[in-house]
Amino acid sequence: MRTFVYERATNPGDAPHLAAQSATGDESRAEYLAGGTTLFDLMKLDVMRPELVIDINPLAATSLGRIELSAHGLRLGALVRMADAADHAEIKTQYPVIAQSLQLAASQQIRNMASLGGNVLQRTRCTYFRDISYAECNKRNPGSGCAAMNGYNRSHAVLGGSDRCIATYAGDFAQALIALDAAVEIAGPDGARTIPFASLHRKPADRPDKETNLHPNEMIASFLIPATPWARRSLYLKVRDRQSYEFAIASAAVALDQQDGGAVRNVRIALGGVATVPWRAVEAEALIRGKPINEQNVRAAADAAFATAEGHGHNTFKVELGKRTLSRALQQAAALEI
Ligand SMILES: Cc1cc2nc3c(=O)[nH]c(=O)nc-3n(C[C@H](O)[C@H](O)[C@H](O)COP(=O)(O)OP(=O)(O)OC[C@H]3O[C@@H](n4cnc5c(N)ncnc54)[C@H](O)[C@@H]3O)c2cc1C
Ligand code: SF4
């Protein structure tokens, strides 16, 4: 076991300063500890090697641990447990895609422990990343190559990859946040800032090791979900190898605002299980806007969503599976009785 320093943050403003103390130049040496279901896993596998672990759980007594609903929208603190948001009666009815994406994730035990902030920052499940006996992994060891490119890549991404990395973003909740135009509140050593959630994650490009646009030592404080006309008619459809306790091989978070006649006034689509980041399908949205939801229109939208998709052998089936998942999600959302 590698040694590390353990600290407890007792004040939200202090946590980023504590983290900054351990930094070397722009490199952070610290990790925040929430539920620990990703962090401890990867520390035990020797993939993550923080020198300082800052336990932020005492901050659950502050706004970081609260769910707040108002006429303007929903605010979810970063330390809210997945199970608490998934089981929340008003979230289930007013923001169903949020509750469903969390309910369909992991297991009850993990959802009881795991936080929303930790969830969006979970790392990829790429086997070559998680097993240090593989030398080639640009994400774990920049410049070393990518073992998945010509290796076993059934679970890997068909959208958003680069010649350096094709690892899939594994989470579910992030797609729901994108479908509802969420923002993320961030606390850092230099103060607080708020950015669209859709700009939090970075595609691998030539730096697969840099997964987000968080600055060194910044901490997620909360997620802000505006009250939109499409939030209630929203859902999360997850396709996986078994019915529970499994990551998505394809998923779609969709939110629809429909006119009385059935034409789509506005729509948001985010795809999971198929892309390197939580993937907003803007081309598909543009095609479906102003039209009724029917077989032909949803298929055209799905084709547009995957127009740039690239299979790598074992994962090529995800292109067609992803299209069918999106088509079905749109049809199910249109059929919801609200
Ligand atoms: C067996 C298994 C199955 C799973 N299945 C699914 C699934 O189907 N769908 C799914 O979405 N997820 C799944 N997960 C992932 C799980 O949901 C995440 O591990 C969990 O949500 C992470 O939350 P945590 O609070 O435990 O994070 P931690 O492990 O405490 O932290 C994770 C990372 O986020 C950082 N971090 C935590 N909180 C903050 C914050 N507020 N600000 C900045 N950084 C922070 C930590 O430093 C660390 O790097 C699964 C996990 C396991 C182990
Ligand atoms: S896909 Fe990414 S995470 Fe997986 S081996 Fe290649 S570089 Fe590493």
Side-chain angles (χ1 to χ4, degrees):
M1 179 176 160
R2 291 178 195 274
T3 53
F4 58 89
V5 175
Y6 170 86
E7 298 258 17
R8 281 165 76 83
T10 49
N11 174 325
D14 291 348
H17 291 287
L18 268 177
Q21 281 167 19
S22 76
T24 316
D26 253 6
E27 283 279 302
S28 177
R29 305 275 174 215
E31 290 289 337
Y32 296 111
L33 167 64
T37 63
T38 284
L39 181 62
F40 286 158
D41 229 13
L42 292 175
M43 284 173 73
K44 284 192 258 181
L45 293 170
D46 206 20
V47 172
M48 289 178 80
R49 301 170 180 178
E51 291 172 11
L52 171 63
V53 170
I54 302 171
D55 187 347
I56 53 176
N57 286 290
L59 308 181
T62 70
S63 63
L64 268 81
R66 283 202 286 273
I67 296 175
E68 289 162 342
L69 269 156
S70 75
H72 303 294
L74 169 66
R75 182 181 179 283
L76 294 168
L79 283 169
V80 169
R81 303 293 144 172
M82 288 169 72
D84 291 333
D87 296 339
H88 194 281
E90 283 157 294
I91 296 179
K92 279 184 179 172
T93 54
Q94 293 179 38
Y95 302 89
V97 67
I98 296 277
Q100 291 165 15
S101 69
L102 292 165
Q103 186 60 42
L104 292 170
S107 65
Q108 185 65 48
Q109 290 90 336
I110 292 171
R111 292 193 295 272
N112 289 343
M113 281 295 290
S115 69
L116 300 181
N119 184 280
V120 300
L121 296 178
Q122 65 181 276
R123 312 293 301 276
T124 182
R125 308 306 288 191
C126 173
T127 313
Y128 306 107
F129 169 74
R130 292 173 60 86
D131 184 342
I132 61 163
S133 65
Y134 291 101
E136 286 177 67
C137 175
N138 287 323
K139 191 181 278 298
R140 178 166 38 78
N141 187 10
S144 61
C146 172
M149 209 63 82
N150 298 310
Y152 187 61
N153 50 39
R154 180 177 180 273
S155 66
H156 287 69
V158 294
L159 289 167
S162 71
D163 59 355
R164 306 279 172 94
C165 179
I166 50 169
T168 303
Y169 174 78
D172 296 297
F173 173 54
Q175 281 72 246
L177 290 172
I178 288 184
L180 297 186
D181 280 346
V184 54
E185 281 186 319
I186 297 166
D190 302 323
R193 65 189 179 111
T194 301
I195 60 169
F197 180 77
S199 13
L200 180 65
H201 292 90
R202 290 165 57 114
K203 285 190 248 176
D206 59 352
R207 287 295 306 271
D209 56 311
K210 262 191 89 54
E211 294 178 354
T212 72
N213 287 316
L214 288 176
H215 301 156
N217 308 307
E218 280 188 328
M219 180 180 78
I220 295 181
S222 70
F223 304 97
L224 305 172
I225 299 128
T228 51
W230 49 88
R232 285 195 66 166
R233 188 179 291 283
S234 66
L235 62 79
Y236 189 66
L237 181 64
K238 179 172 179 178
V239 176
R240 42 189 164 168
D241 285 332
R242 58 180 178 194
Q243 197 48 35
S244 80
Y245 199 21
E246 190 54 274
F247 289 92
I249 41 174
S251 75
V254 301
L256 281 181
D257 179 20
Q258 276 181 305
Q259 286 167 356
D260 284 346
V264 172
R265 222 182 329 243
N266 221 328
V267 57
R268 294 287 184 279
I269 298 170
L271 304 174
V274 292
T276 53
V277 291
W279 190 265
R280 174 135 181 225
V282 269
E283 294 82 4
E285 292 173 7
L287 267 180
I288 210 85
R289 214 170 272 128
K291 300 193 184 126
I293 298 283
N294 59 32
E295 190 82 39
Q296 192 189 343
N297 290 341
V298 298
R299 183 65 200 194
D303 285 343
F306 284 86
T308 60
E310 195 188 343
H312 300 275
H314 305 110
N315 70 348
T316 304
F317 74 99
K318 283 190 178 187
V319 178
E320 179 58 24
L321 181 68
K323 290 181 187 181
R324 291 186 192 186
T325 306
L326 172 55
S327 302
R328 184 143 61 94
L330 285 167
Q331 284 172 316
Q332 286 182 0
L336 285 174
E337 287 189 10
I338 291 175

